[in-house]
Amino acid sequence: MPCLGPVPRSFYDRDTIDVAHDLLGAFLVHDVAGEVRVGKIVEVEAYLGELDLAAHSSRGLTQRTRILFGPPGFAYVYLIYGMYFCMNVVTEREGNACAVLLRALEPVRNLRDRSQGPGLLCRAMGIDLRHNGHDLESPDFFIAPRDENEAHQVVARPRIGVAYSGIWAAKPLRFYLEGNRYISRK
């Protein structure tokens, strides 16, 4: 595992699909009351702003979505089904409202619970609504770079659970590491 310092904001201030690809193999790090939890990101989904009917930002700027419209490199955390938290990382320049959903982690350190699926990932990492708007350049909750010497193959598939979004449902905007046993679904 490489050094556990955060990637710079410029990492997120790029095309969302490029960021999604580059998040695969990177490490999500969270200090939870002195226990540092680390998971390797193995599955993500890209959300491409206001035109993407599967993205929360497609409904425009609201109190809930204001983080998405802000600068890149911040966590967008929300509650679904009244019981699960999901975490996205905001990408691209301010105003674009793009993000990448973190879907699954491979346990690296202090992850005792399942982390396959966005809700389980957040539960295992101790992420909840208090982390919405959190700066991912902070020392206690961040994404560390992947090991550039580690080769991996990326698989692209349609996103999960977005059938309501018309043509956007079939777009191959879910990415995962081929052969990784910790992905949520093939």
Side-chain angles (χ1 to χ4, degrees):
M1 185 169 56
C3 114
L4 285 181
V7 297
R9 190 159 326 279
S10 59
F11 174 88
Y12 305 103
D13 191 8
R14 302 179 295 133
D15 177 79
T16 301
I17 293 174
D18 291 341
V19 174
H21 280 237
D22 291 345
L23 281 169
L24 294 172
F27 298 91
L28 182 60
V29 180
H30 188 201
D31 185 334
V32 181
E35 177 186 75
V36 178
R37 298 179 188 181
V38 181
K40 181 183 194 178
I41 300 168
V42 297
E43 182 181 2
V44 298
E45 289 181 352
Y47 289 86
L48 305 179
E50 291 183 271
L51 296 177
D52 181 344
L53 297 180
H56 289 179
S57 57
S58 69
R59 294 168 190 88
L61 178 63
T62 66
Q63 183 61 30
R64 180 184 190 191
T65 63
R66 72 178 173 75
I67 299 299
L68 287 171
F69 286 85
F74 286 81
Y76 170 58
V77 179
Y78 58 91
L79 184 67
I80 59 167
Y81 310 126
M83 58 198 295
Y84 299 109
F85 298 104
C86 294
M87 179 190 164
N88 290 252
V89 297
V90 177
T91 60
E92 300 193 22
R93 73 182 191 285
E94 191 166 350
N96 273 16
C98 297
V100 177
L101 171 69
L102 304 184
R103 284 201 54 85
L105 299 174
E106 178 181 318
V108 174
R109 184 185 304 156
N110 295 322
L111 284 187
R112 291 172 278 289
D113 298 324
R114 289 185 56 224
S115 55
Q116 295 111 315
L120 293 174
L121 179 155
C122 284
R123 183 180 299 155
M125 290 296 290
I127 299 167
D128 58 31
L129 288 179
R130 293 173 293 175
H131 300 96
N132 187 40
H134 190 95
D135 186 345
L136 293 173
E137 283 192 314
S138 72
D140 62 335
F141 182 45
F142 60 90
I143 293 174
R146 69 181 183 210
D147 181 353
E148 292 297 332
N149 296 319
E150 185 178 292
H152 61 265
Q153 184 69 31
V154 175
V155 176
R157 295 281 187 266
R159 295 175 291 194
I160 296 170
V162 296
Y164 59 85
S165 65
I167 62 167
W168 287 92
K171 293 189 182 286
L173 295 171
R174 179 169 67 98
F175 307 102
Y176 60 85
L177 295 180
E178 184 174 48
N180 188 286
R181 67 187 186 114
Y182 293 98
I183 63 169
S184 65
R185 183 184 312 179
K186 287 193 176 186

